[in-house]
Amino acid sequence: MWLFNSSVGRKFVMSITGACLAFFLLFHASMNLVAIISEEGYNMICEFLGANWYALVGTLGLAFLAVVHIIYAFALSIINYRARGRERYAVSDRSNGVEWASMNMLVLGFIILGGLCLHLVNFWAKMQLVEILGSEPANGVELIKYTFSKWYFAIIYLLWFVALWYHLTHGIWSAMQTLGWSNNIWLPRIKCISNIIATIIVLMFVAVLVWYFVAGNCCCASACAA
C-alpha cells in the first residue's frame, strides 16, 4: 500500500496526522486561555471534556493520531539516515531558524514526547483518567495553579514550549508543502503562516503558565509576609 511503502505516502500520513494534532493544540491552547479570563468557565470546560463518551472518543482519536505520527516520524528518520550514507559525515553549512528545526525534528520530537508524558501525568491522569476509574477528578484551575506555581515545572514546560514552537514552524509548512502548496510563490507565504500559527499557539500556552506562576508565587510571598 502506497501509504506505507512509498516516500510520498509516508509524508502524506505525517502531514495529515501532524495537521490534525496542530489543530488540537490550537484548541487546547485556546481552552487553557479561558483559565485566565474565567476560572469558573475553565472548570466548566473541564467538566464538559471529562469522562463523557464524546470526550473519550476524542481522546482515543488523538492517541491514535499521535502514535501514528510518532511511528512514521521514526520510519522517515531512519530511511533518511540510511539514504544519506556517507554524506552524513560531511561538514555542511547550517542555517538558523526553520532550517535548524528541519535538521533536528527527531530530537525536537523526543523533547515534545517527554513533555507530553509529563503533561499526561500532571493533568490527564488526575482529571479524565481518575474519572474513568470512578473517582472524583481534580479541580482544573487548582491543578493549574499548583503545577505552574512550581519553578521546576515552569522551566520544564517553557523548554517544552520552545521545542514545540520549532517543531511546529517546520512541521506546519512542511505539511502544507506535501499537500500541494509547494510553488515558489506560496512557499515563502506558508512559511510565514506557519511561524504565525506556531507563535500564537505557544504564546497562549506560555501566557497561562506565566500568569499562574506569577500569581502563585505572589500569593506565597504575601502569605509569608503576613
Side-chain angles (χ1 to χ4, degrees):
M1 187 176 180
W2 72 278
L3 291 176
F4 301 98
N5 300 326
S6 72
S7 175
V8 174
R10 287 187 289 266
K11 289 180 179 179
F12 178 79
V13 172
M14 281 286 293
S15 299
I16 295 298
T17 55
C20 292
L21 292 171
F23 276 118
F24 167 72
L25 286 173
L26 185 59
F27 163 75
H28 192 9
S30 302
M31 182 189 80
N32 283 10
L33 206 61
V34 176
I36 296 178
I37 302 169
S38 170
E39 295 185 356
E40 182 181 353
Y42 179 77
N43 283 330
M44 289 176 63
I45 294 174
C46 291
E47 184 178 353
F48 178 74
L49 297 175
N52 304 302
W53 68 269
Y54 47 84
L56 296 178
V57 170
T59 300
L60 291 174
L62 284 169
F64 173 77
L65 290 171
V67 169
V68 171
H69 193 75
I70 292 168
I71 291 173
Y72 271 76
F74 274 110
L76 282 171
S77 297
I78 292 171
I79 291 169
N80 291 337
Y81 181 82
R82 290 176 176 174
R84 285 197 301 268
R86 292 181 179 274
E87 293 181 6
R88 64 178 176 267
Y89 298 107
V91 177
S92 59
D93 295 331
R94 296 188 177 185
S95 302
N96 294 322
V98 172
E99 289 74 17
W100 178 89
S102 68
M103 292 183 292
N104 294 276
M105 287 296 278
L106 190 61
V107 175
L108 292 169
F110 274 119
I111 296 173
I112 293 169
L113 181 60
L116 175 62
C117 292
L118 176 65
H119 190 61
L120 290 174
V121 171
N122 280 342
F123 290 92
W124 179 75
K126 298 174 182 177
M127 297 177 72
Q128 190 180 65
L129 180 59
V130 295
E131 190 173 353
I132 293 171
L133 297 175
S135 300
E136 186 71 20
N139 180 283
V141 171
E142 293 303 319
L143 203 53
I144 289 179
K145 288 179 179 178
Y146 170 79
T147 303
F148 290 160
S149 66
K150 307 298 181 183
W151 66 266
Y152 45 88
F153 280 139
I155 292 174
I156 292 172
Y157 272 89
L158 282 175
L159 292 175
W160 186 31
F161 295 151
V162 170
L164 185 63
W165 184 86
Y166 274 109
H167 196 81
L168 287 172
T169 53
H170 174 74
I172 293 173
W173 78 255
S174 180
M176 296 172 75
Q177 184 183 45
T178 299
L179 296 175
W181 292 11
S182 57
N183 59 61
N184 292 332
I185 296 176
W186 271 101
L187 188 58
R189 295 176 182 177
I190 63 176
K191 285 187 176 183
C192 180
I193 292 170
S194 299
N195 288 340
I196 293 171
I197 295 173
T199 301
I200 290 172
I201 291 173
V202 170
L203 282 180
M204 285 195 288
F205 281 127
V206 171
V208 177
L209 185 153
V210 172
W211 178 275
Y212 281 101
F213 177 78
V214 172
N217 285 278
C218 284
C219 289
C220 290
S222 299
C224 290

